[in-house]
Amino acid sequence: MKKIFLFFAAVCALVACDPVEEDISNGGHITVDELKAKTTVTVDKADNGQNGNVITCSTSAPVNAKWEIGGKEFVSNFAKKKMKLGEYTVVLTAVCADGTELTAEYPVKCDVITDPLTKYMIWEGEFTVGGWDAAPLRFSDSEGQNFPTLSDDIYFGLKTLVVDVKDASDGCQARIQNGWWSTVYAEGISLTPGMKWEIQLTEQIAKECAKGNGGEGRDLNLLITNGSATFTSVYYEE
């Protein structure tokens, strides 16, 4: 009987140490300083000591963590992402056991490419489109004229599309919407010659435009609202 009791006590001790169930100090929440003390955000290093382009984030704090890195969100206590060169602010949103929400920001800079991004081409060619002509810029095999239907992996992977703008008239402006004209995701976007137009796919876009996995099949649709522009490729990089 004594052995059984000791075994039961040991099991209870293990359960009590589970960080998901543990009652953190202050009634189930921690402070921002405590969160930061248990969190690291690092950038890899090149041979010459400069910052590379891979950001790694982790936290051992007993929280539900969500990272925002360069427009992408990762719901996990660990996140890693290859970036283009530039300056970024990594945002950690943490939800404590009692529902308290904390936010911590980490500015980082990527100076040199240590892990090259891979380009995934979606479309390549050349065409010019004028104002309020939606079909040429609709991502649809059946209702578009140039761009293919985007896969669910692209939509729900929340990829950042890069659209190469070869040329654009003075004052050219564009909009991001869906093919049903039911939602405008962004508008008043100025297009210029040689521009790489970055379009961040969001959860809302995925749910409304994807054709599978619960998507409403409305198709992502770009639209020139003033002037004209010439496009040569659409891709994403990771």
Side-chain angles (χ1 to χ4, degrees):
M1 178 63 73
K2 183 177 180 180
K3 290 183 178 179
I4 293 175
F5 176 80
L6 290 174
F7 175 76
F8 179 77
V11 171
C12 289
L14 287 173
V15 172
C17 291
D18 185 344
V20 177
E21 301 296 334
E22 183 180 3
D23 181 19
I24 315 162
S25 61
N26 302 322
H29 71 266
I30 58 177
T31 66
V32 172
D33 288 340
E34 289 171 324
L35 175 66
K36 289 182 176 180
K38 294 178 178 290
T39 300
T40 58
V41 175
T42 60
V43 183
D44 68 323
K45 297 294 182 180
D47 292 339
N48 60 5
Q50 285 186 291
N51 286 347
N53 69 310
V54 181
I55 299 176
T56 302
C57 312
S58 65
T59 183
S60 61
V63 295
N64 291 321
K66 180 177 73 173
W67 307 90
E68 192 277 324
I69 311 173
K72 294 286 185 69
E73 292 186 349
F74 302 83
V75 181
S76 172
N77 282 44
F78 175 84
K80 187 174 183 179
K81 189 176 187 302
K82 291 192 289 185
M83 307 295 293
K84 296 180 180 179
L85 301 186
E87 297 183 2
Y88 303 92
T89 298
V90 176
V91 180
L92 168 60
T93 302
V95 180
C96 299
D98 68 348
T100 301
E101 186 173 295
L102 306 173
T103 301
E105 297 186 352
Y106 301 86
V108 295
K109 185 179 180 182
C110 300
D111 298 310
V112 295
I113 297 294
T114 48
D115 192 354
L117 293 163
T118 301
K119 180 183 288 188
Y120 298 89
M121 190 64 65
I122 295 172
W123 172 86
E124 196 168 18
E126 183 173 329
F127 69 91
T128 300
V129 61
W132 300 100
D133 188 357
L137 296 171
R138 180 167 178 164
F139 287 87
S140 172
D141 293 319
S142 58
E143 298 182 76
Q145 293 179 0
N146 297 286
F147 298 158
T149 298
L150 295 178
S151 70
D152 289 355
D153 288 341
I154 293 176
Y155 277 124
F156 289 103
L158 304 184
K159 308 300 185 184
T160 300
L161 304 185
V162 181
V163 181
D164 279 330
V165 182
K166 180 179 180 180
D167 198 10
S169 62
D170 290 341
C172 181
Q173 289 199 324
R175 165 195 290 183
I176 303 170
Q177 61 178 39
N178 62 47
W180 290 11
W181 296 65
S182 57
T183 306
V184 174
Y185 306 111
E187 59 184 335
I189 302 164
S190 297
L191 301 185
T192 56
M195 173 183 177
K196 292 188 179 296
W197 180 12
E198 294 194 359
I199 301 170
Q200 173 63 58
L201 299 183
T202 64
E203 186 175 355
Q204 181 185 10
I205 292 175
K207 288 180 177 178
E208 293 183 357
C209 297
K211 294 188 180 299
N213 294 305
E216 297 175 8
R218 302 186 182 194
D219 296 323
L220 181 66
N221 200 170
L222 312 181
L223 182 71
I224 302 299
T225 55
N226 187 65
S228 62
T230 300
F231 301 95
T232 55
S233 65
V234 181
Y235 57 92
Y236 67 92
E237 294 178 302
E238 288 189 338

